[in-house]
Amino acid sequence: MAEFGEKKKNAVGPSVTGWKASSGAEVSVEMHRGDPLSNGKCSGSGGVRRVQNQSSCESPTRENAGSDSASQAIPRRSSLIKDGSRAGRERKKTVSFSSSLSEKKISSAADCIHSMVEGSELKKIRTNSRIYQRYYLLDTGLQALCWEPSKKESDKARIALASIREVRTGRNTETFRTSGVYEQISEDCAFSIIYGEMYESLDLVANSAEVANIWVTGLRYLMQYGKHALDMLASSHDSLRLVWLEQLFSSAAESDRLEDVEEGIRLQLAIKLIQRVNPGVSSGKVEQRFRELQRVRERVCGLTLDDGSGIKDHSDGKRPAIKNERVTKEEFIEVFHHFCTRPEIYFLLVQFSSNKEFLDTKDLMKFLEAEQGMAQVSEETSLKLIRSHEPSEEGQQQGYLSLDGFTSYLTSPECHLFDAEHHSICQDMSQPLSHYYINSSHNTYLIEDQFRGPADISGYIRALRMGCRCVEVDVCDGPDEEPVVCTGHSLSPPLPLRSVLEAIGKFAFVASDYPLLVCIENHCSQHQQKVMYQHLVGTLGDRLYTSTPEEGESYLPSPHALKHRILLKGKKLGPDCDGEDGEVSEEDEGVEMCQRLKAANSGGATSGENDKEAAQKNASFTAVSQSNSLPPPPKRFRLLKELSDLVTLCRSVRFIDFPNSSEKQKSWEICSFNEPLALRLASENPGDFVNHNKHFLSRVYPNPMRIDSSNMNPQDLWKCGCQIVSMNFQTAGLMMDLNTAWFRQNGSCGYVLRPAIMRQEVSYFSADTRDTVPGVSPQLLHVKVISGQNLPKPRGSGAKGDVVDPYVYIEIHGIPADCTERRTRTVTENGDNPVFDESFEFQINLPELAMVRFVVLDDDFIGDEFIGQYAIPLECLQPGYRHVPLQSLTGEELPYAKLFVHVALTNRRGGGKPHKRGLSVRKARKGRDYTALRDLGVRAVDDVFKMAAPVLREATDLRENMQNSVAVFKELCGVSVVANLMQCVLALCSRVSGPDGSPLLLFDLRDHYPILEPQGHLPDVLRRVVSSYEMMVQANKAVMEHSGATYKRILHIQTIAMEFHENLQSLATREGLKGRKVTRALESFSWNITILKGQADLLKHAKDEVQENMKQVHDAALTGNLANKRTVRSQTRRGPDDKPTASGRGPSVK
């Protein structure tokens, strides 16, 4: 084996640093079923592994395979617990401005092939769940793939490259799927080589995703060009990019007025050219790279013989200067490649490129349709995109997108993670006001803490510009008969009411046209109330909404009906005041803070300890005691009749309990809850809280003891349906990130429509659910964190230099069943372009309320770990390859700092926009679960619901049969669960070629259900593909043929059941039910109605899914040249109106 290592070293040409054989290459390791499999730096699904060395990984052994620490999740940095692997690392933060010149990036197929000739350690997976570690390499003639050690003869331990039919990424073969170590294998590190007449598979796992990408890229290139691959590369190596760079250099030399281009261009000009393509790289790093490059070349070329007596070394220990501050063409191109080449994007380009060096218009079409989820893409669309992003003139003229053009496209706003459709109003704004979440501010006039901090008009201006639709104005008697805005129990300076109202009037509708709520907390005498009234009417004028709601109105008007109107929320006189002033209870949210502070001071505040510190010291105790005690009885004051009349739709009333509200509260009355009370109600009465908020507005304000202006978690209250959760806009952090991101999803208008299950009159939803939601189909969110770019040092870091050790957290926020987080490994000492290449999967049970947050942290920090974050509602995610712009702690976008990710949503209902949502699904369990209806104990009603049981089973079978048939077809096509049907059909293109190059399978597109027709004798694997496709078509047809009648039967049963709704309580009493049993009967009724509505909706979505399925097959057959030209009249893509019919044969595609 030692000789093998020597022979290998001598056999190859140029080496590629980072893929050298380790001593472990000589060891054959066998693992049996049940033993964990180490994937090096690619972590499996069972946990996150810390890897300090990016380019090497230890082989799995019995000792470390059974370690418990390997499977444990790493604690959050906020816990300040350092795990063992970190404690054992003796590495200090160092100053570094550039990587070593010996570090070579993979930027071409030649790099991949040279690395494969050197060889790599790979793990071979067998059907018996055994794992064999082997050393794989290409022979020097590029004729075969070889491996050692092997029990086979040397001439048999090889696969001829000419016999390879497909190189498949991921764990997508039968061997992988049936392996006992499937869950321990990283999707990003696995790949398979399909070869031979019988379509055998060699299933391999690399030590890293990068090594897997190298082998996949190199093998695909060799499949296309064979043994002449290196000759092809030598004659036209990246010619499109090279020609452009030479032209760019020559143009720069001309602008520099150089007569001889060989003299080079000015250093600063070369730096600017590189920053034009990669603006995130610092000029210092580029300059350092140029100087290092020239120093190395001077050492090589400057070693001369001095009179034959010895060697003269020109290195004198000083920093060398670039000769005349000039950069040659060769130096410029080499440094450009280093800073402007992203290997992860190159691997992606090769995956879709037909010639492996650039994308033509057809390649780009495949990418846009299959990966980016774009609909109705044509070659003209691709050409337009190429002309927008391709930097070279030749590429623009020929319709070629080079690596630099592809990078430009992927980093452009077109590939932003946030769906551009949500930048404008995209939700129904005609629902009642209580059906929306409303962006709300707490004590808007305060810009720091709640006790001593300053007050300023800028608080209102900032909040309104951020889309806030509910501001607070606490009004007290001021000097000179002028009311002021202040908190009467704090030391914050007051603001003139007139100035506050002028700011509100000026900026009320700058960010949004929809209604603004102004919460008036009135502490004024009657005389100053008159002045307040004059200011309100005089400043806000006709924009004040003063129309009295009609008696008996069940709901508030809609935001659309209240456009450009200002609603006052406050106390209002009762109907028995007979046109005169009267007494009302006073609202005073700050009185609790004052009482607690006094208690803290009287409880023994030490000398030198101010009120604020004492309050913070006792905050924990007071928060607990407050949640367990009743609020103090409110004072009463005399309210001016004219001021009372200005309050119409938002009359403040005191909350007593849910039965009292259900019986007495009017739709235009609003209750305010302090944070502890709201959280207690959410915990003890989650269902009642949700039902209360279907009709009434609820406002929640922070715990009065949050004198530091910290924020509560708005998700804790949103899940109960609370519309107005008041936030301290001046305090940055996680909670404000969630609030800002949440209200970005509807054009930042300040209103977001609540989930349907929280709005429907009869529905069952519990805010504390830790399981699936009845009537809602869970979605699977797949996120692959590929890389980061230009990650800055944490702002509060005390480390010298600019080195960071980044890692990424993915957080899911929503209902309790959805809340979770996962993290990537740490990439050491690389903030410029760290590559993570890790995939994660999350089940989302209530997608409409879920949010995703990316957080980038520094693992070896000094003082501060936070690098950047980005939060986004799940409904705003765009599928495919996307860049995530990172934001600072205060919400500003970090210049050029991004994450590169791949996102896919798969579900069982095909929900959302068809072209946005992946439609794949996991294979169902053998025992199918059917959603059960509950017995109420009321015979007449139970008999109606029993009629629904067989209908619901039929509906479930239709959907599940269709989705499972799609899943089977995907498996046989060799694509992952994330893939859609277009990717399935395109994957077939590479394996259906016959001996003469003609396809063995073609699609007959005359039918709305395309028919897959064999064109000759098929091997067994392709016969199975055809069989599974026919089963899929039959299951899709069944949905179209039978779902309509089933849907009507479900709705009919629902209609009959709803006739009992109004008298259900009396019916239950007649049946002898009492107390808690009546309540359970009402809950069971809501549960059953929710199930019926949900199943009807899912069936309707299933029809949409069928239409999308057949459209994707049709379009992919055209794109992949698998359409039988004799049976298709016009090779055009289906439009949204071309839908399958219930009958088998539909009209021809025109």
Side-chain angles (χ1 to χ4, degrees), residues 384-405:
K384 183 179 179 180
L385 190 148
I386 289 171
R387 288 171 177 167
S388 299
H389 295 283
E390 173 55 37
S392 68
E393 291 185 10
E394 180 186 355
Q396 293 182 22
Q397 293 171 359
Q398 299 292 331
Y400 298 154
L401 191 65
S402 67
L403 178 59
D404 298 294

Side-chain angles (χ1 to χ4, degrees), residues 454-465:
D456 197 87
I457 301 296
S458 63
Y460 290 95
I461 297 174
R462 179 172 181 268
L464 292 172
R465 281 180 168 167

Side-chain angles (χ1 to χ4, degrees), residues 482-691:
E482 279 290 334
V484 293
V485 175
C486 67
T487 299
H489 309 283
S490 74
L491 303 180
S492 300
L495 299 174
L497 175 63
R498 183 198 297 270
S499 300
V500 169
L501 294 179
E502 288 174 351
I504 291 175
K506 182 177 180 180
F507 294 94
F509 302 105
V510 167
S512 172
D513 295 333
Y514 292 101
L516 173 67
L517 279 66
V518 178
C519 300
I520 301 289
E521 194 173 292
N522 184 2
H523 305 290
C524 291
S525 63
Q526 275 194 290
H527 179 72
Q528 293 212 15
Q529 284 184 43
K530 293 179 181 179
V531 181
M532 186 198 313
Y533 170 78
Q534 294 169 0
H535 289 333
L536 285 167
V537 174
T539 304
L540 305 181
D542 295 338
R543 289 177 293 181
L544 283 173
Y545 185 87
T546 57
S547 300
T548 304
E550 295 183 11
E551 193 69 29
E553 285 283 347
S554 299
Y555 292 99
L556 291 169
S558 69
H560 179 77
L562 296 171
K563 268 189 170 184
H564 298 107
R565 305 309 293 267
I566 296 176
L567 312 181
L568 295 186
K569 176 227 170 239
K571 286 295 182 176
K572 185 175 179 65
L573 296 172
D576 54 348
C577 287
D578 298 327
E580 297 180 0
D581 301 345
E583 282 195 352
V584 293
S585 59
E586 183 182 33
E587 282 188 296
D588 194 349
E589 297 171 2
V591 68
E592 284 184 82
M593 179 178 71
C594 180
Q595 292 174 347
R596 299 296 179 186
L597 287 174
K598 287 180 180 179
N601 288 333
S602 62
T606 60
S607 59
E609 184 179 54
N610 58 35
D611 293 341
K612 180 177 176 179
E613 292 169 342
Q616 289 174 331
K617 182 178 179 181
N618 293 276
S620 175
F621 165 77
T622 55
V624 173
S625 62
Q626 179 183 8
S627 64
N628 295 326
S629 61
L630 293 174
K635 298 178 182 178
R636 298 186 69 82
F637 76 104
R638 196 159 186 84
L639 178 63
L640 190 69
K641 176 66 167 59
E642 291 86 345
L643 205 55
S644 171
D645 291 342
L646 295 181
V647 177
T648 55
L649 297 182
C650 296
R651 177 189 181 185
S652 296
V653 296
R654 195 182 190 203
F655 176 79
I656 299 175
D657 54 40
F658 290 121
N660 182 78
S661 295
S662 178
E663 181 181 348
K664 298 180 180 180
Q665 190 170 336
K666 309 296 183 184
S667 63
W668 58 84
E669 294 177 338
I670 175 174
C671 294
S672 291
F673 305 83
N674 62 38
E675 178 188 348
L677 174 60
L679 292 177
R680 179 166 61 83
L681 293 173
S683 174
E684 296 176 0
N685 309 94
D688 292 335
F689 213 169
V690 171
N691 289 330

